[in-house]
Every structure is written in structure tokens, then in C-alpha cells.
Amino acid sequence: MGGYLPLLASGVSADALTGTFADEMWRRVYGPAGMAGARIADDPRGLVTDFMRGYAPDLTGAGRPLAYGPVGSYAPAGGTLASLDDMAAYVRTHLRRGVSVDGRRVVSAKNLTVCWKPHIPVPLSPEFDPDVTASGYGMGWIHNRFRDGTSLIWHNGGIDGFTSYIGFLPERDLGLVVLNANNPAPTGPYFSLYVLNLLLSERFGLNRGVPANAHAGYLAALDGLRDLGRRTAPTAPGATAPYLGHYEGGYRLTRDLNLHLGPRTMPLGVLPDGSHVVTGGLLVENKVLLTRDVDDTPRIEVVGFETVRRTVGVESPPHMTEPPVRASRQW
């Protein structure tokens, strides 16, 4: 929400907020930073001719194409549609302390470096951060400090079928952008982790052994999917029939035994304990529980994310025509 606050403070109405945000991002950031192809968007089709489809593994480990995920009003949290060249220009603007590749001042060096300053400690992993001595979250950036004093300023992201990473080492005047068409769960981040640490280990002798750990983690994630797949059975229509219908938050459970959220389709399988699991899509391998609330209303719990109640069932009675309105009727 913080990304919208400056516009609200300047008097932009709620109805105009998302469109104005997209315009201002171009005027204040994309254009000045040399990000010629960047824009706020969900779907590249119709905007560019050279684009990629995103993929996610199913419970066999095979990649399956996904629909483009919606961003909508979440845009300030990462709604930029951009190319590798666009993101490289953005990272170079940071390395140049706020000056773009064509020499334009985009932001002051002081304000930029304030964003990098860590405030909230971030836990370290012995497996993937062996030479990092401190890590903290700033304003949109994670700041790692290595044993030799080198700083790594970075952030990653992911949406249906895509994983991204941008980072730079200010003292080394070196940046890195990694974009891949692999779903965040459960394998996407391993590729950028591998590339980053290959660079760190070969150029600076830091985090040696982490590329091998990243590769092993990727293979283990695929093995975990396949193991889960061997324990997963098709969902019985009779067991899910009482839960079919529309739910809060835009969720739908349909007769084809898929859980839908807008353009997202998440097929369900059943585990030996009777719980359900997502067998493909954005939340592959995530558990789903079909239960009832205290008032017997069906509900869906997407474990670790949210729980929603049913609003309209598939057996709802047909719409009844309102009787004629009489003058004495009170509303």
C-alpha cells in the first residue's frame, strides 16, 4: 500500500489510483532510467512480439505452461513487465548512484542509498550464505555483508511461472539480473541462486560450494514432487461434491476438481490422510483442506495462505422474480 501513498497524498482519487500509478512509474522511473520496454502490466501479449510463457512442474516433475498471473492493485509490490535489458538498465542506475545509462539523474544518491540501509535482520543459511556475516532488510532491498567487506544489495520475485532476481555489488561496480520461466515453487529460485554464487565464487572466492548446494537443492525439490506424486490419488468427485461452488476472495471449486482463482487453475489430488494437495500450477504441492465452519458453511483452507468460506453453492435455487411492488410496501 505504501507505493500508493504519495499519489493519495497529492489528491489522486481512488478510482484513478492504479492508472495514475502506472503513468507515474513511466514518467519518474522507467523513462528516466532507460527502461524503454518496461510498463505496469499482467500479460505481454499485444504489447510486445517477443515474450515468454511461464512454466511450473507438476507432481511428475514435468514443466507445464501456466496462464499469466494477475497483478492488479498489487502493482507497487512488483507489477513491472520488463525485459532483461530494461532490468539491467535499472541495476546500472543503482550502480551509478541514481544516474541512468544515458546520464540522466533519476534519484539522488542520498535517497537511493537510504533504501539500501538494512533495518530488519534477515536469517542466514549455513548452506547458502556461508561467507555472509550479516543480512538485513531495508526499503525494498536485502543487504548482505560478506566476510571481506563486500556488500550485495538484492531482491527477488516470482509470479505464476516466472522467477526473477536483481542484485549488485556496489564496491565491485558489478550487477546481476536473472530472469527465468520457472515457477517460484518449488524450483525457480535455485537457478538464480546457482548463477549468483557461481559469480561470487569464481570472481571473488566467496560462497564456494554454494553452486553445488543450489544444484542439489533443485534436484531434491524435483524428487520431493515425484515422491508426493506417488502418494497422491485422484480426487473422488463424491467427496468434493458438497464443497463445489464460489468462495470468498474469488475462489471457485468446480466439478472438474480444480480450484480456480481468476485465471489460475490449481488441480487437486488427495493424500492418504484425506487432505488435498495442489498437483500443478502456481501452488503446486501446497496442501488444501476442505472443512466446514462452526455454522456448517463449507470452507477451503489453502494451507499457509488463507481460509475462505463458500458464498454460492452449485445447488443454489434458481433466481426468483420479485413480486410486483405495491405502494404500501416498505423497503
Side-chain angles (χ1 to χ4, degrees), residues 273-313:
D273 64 1
S275 64
H276 289 79
V277 64
V278 179
T279 63
L282 174 65
L283 298 180
V284 62
E285 77 177 350
N286 204 87
K287 266 197 168 188
V288 173
L289 303 179
L290 305 181
T291 59
R292 289 183 177 272
D293 218 333
V294 292
D295 61 359
D296 206 37
T297 300
R299 64 182 181 182
I300 295 174
E301 180 184 355
V302 184
V303 176
F305 289 90
E306 57 188 337
T307 300
V308 292
R309 287 163 48 95
R310 190 169 73 180
T311 55
V312 180

Side-chain angles (χ1 to χ4, degrees), residues 12-32:
V12 175
S13 69
D15 290 340
L17 193 58
T18 54
T20 305
F21 177 80
D23 292 341
E24 289 299 298
M25 282 296 293
W26 172 257
R27 187 174 72 86
R28 295 170 180 258
V29 181
Y30 303 153

Side-chain angles (χ1 to χ4, degrees), residues 28-29 32-33 90 93-94 96-100 104-116:
R28 295 170 180 258
V29 181
Y90 180 68
T93 299
H94 279 268
R96 294 165 179 241
R97 300 299 197 276
V99 177
S100 72
R104 298 175 64 181
R105 170 63 67 182
V106 182
V107 60
S108 72
K110 179 180 178 181
N111 282 352
L112 198 63
T113 54
V114 165
C115 295
W116 307 344

